Amino acid sequence: MMKKDLIYTLILALSFCSCSSQEKKALDHFLGEVTPGDSAILFAPNKLNHPEGYHSSLIITNDFKEVYFSPMTRYCEIHKIVDFENSGASEKLLFTTICDAGDPILSPDNKRMYFLSFQPLEEDSLYRERIWYSEIIDGEVLEPKVVDKTVYDHPTHWQFTVASNYNLYFTSEIESEENQNIYLSQYIDGKYQEPIKLPEEINTEYMELCPYISPDEKYLIFARSDNTTEKTDLFISYKENDKWSKAMRLPNTINSKGNDLCPVLSPDKKYLFFISTREGTSKIYWVKANFL
């Protein structure tokens, strides 16, 4: 081995040793997958290659032991990866009391799984997506409940998100399907309150959708589609002194000429996962979250 190669090897070894224990857990869980830098790359392309693509990003538990996603199938589905090391195989998560479930999201404490379902309600027979949740006890996902009427009165679609205090950020189509905006419903005394439209620093005359809120509600990553590009890009806004900053578009090392949406951070906040159509079919990408 040449001297410069030996030096390079030592630098790599030292870099790995300097990783935090939480990041090592993440790298160990992903079993040798090439980790990204500042530019987004495909995640596990030889294992996660669902023929119809993906409708959600990866949802990872805090201990990095369980991973969920929704494929781009005709009906809503939640899949749990059961064999990442060898094949990336997954199995469908089934509930006995509802017909379908998709686009999962975990509360930061991992005590609830929220998701979307078209399951009809006795008190509201309209066929549309509503937000549901299941309590998680000892690793078991229990039978689901629909969220409060204050929220499901809002037509919604695609990814939503939950903060540590269970405040709910979601896409509302209450104005029209062509005018999607992001709303907040605060969770107070075990009930979701009347949703509030986020300010103009986030919501514009264009379409805003697929929000991801940080657990402490200090920043919001979301997708925006405007009539100049006719595609969705990822944006970020920060909150300071209860005021949101004007949303900024994430760099071209993350956004692309395709649709980029459904942002979710890994539990250690080291990586951003999202779906993109930059290669045609919607696939899962990841990038180091240095932009935070």
Side-chain angles (χ1 to χ4, degrees), residues 98 162 186 264:
I98 63 172
V162 183
Q186 293 180 309
V264 175

Side-chain angles (χ1 to χ4, degrees), residues 193-233:
Q193 308 302 302
E194 190 65 36
I196 303 167
K197 184 177 179 180
L198 294 187
E200 61 185 8
E201 285 79 7
I202 293 168
N203 287 313
T204 65
E205 70 271 27
Y206 305 123
M207 295 171 62
E208 282 78 26
L209 64 157
C210 294
Y212 169 84
I213 190 67
S214 64
D216 59 5
E217 297 179 282
K218 292 298 185 183
Y219 55 86
L220 180 77
I221 309 172
F222 63 95
R224 175 181 291 164
S225 175
D226 65 53
N227 55 17
T228 60
T229 61
E230 297 184 348
K231 68 183 184 73
T232 54
D233 287 325

Side-chain angles (χ1 to χ4, degrees), residues 6-60:
L6 178 60
I7 293 173
Y8 180 67
T9 302
L10 288 171
I11 290 173
L12 286 178
L14 289 171
S15 297
F16 182 80
C17 291
S18 66
C19 292
S20 67
S21 59
Q22 188 74 349
E23 186 172 2
K24 284 182 182 179
K25 286 173 67 177
L27 297 176
D28 289 344
H29 178 79
F30 296 140
L31 302 174
E33 291 298 319
V34 176
T35 53
D38 294 335
S39 296
I41 61 173
L42 275 171
F43 177 75
N46 296 323
K47 296 174 183 176
L48 298 187
N49 45 21
H50 195 281
E52 296 176 88
Y54 293 84
H55 199 268
S56 83
S57 191
L58 291 185
I59 307 303
I60 306 168

Side-chain angles (χ1 to χ4, degrees), residues 243-257:
K243 291 187 177 181
W244 289 101
S245 65
K246 184 177 180 181
M248 300 179 294
R249 183 181 179 276
L250 293 185
N252 290 334
T253 51
I254 299 174
N255 284 307
S256 70
K257 294 182 179 179

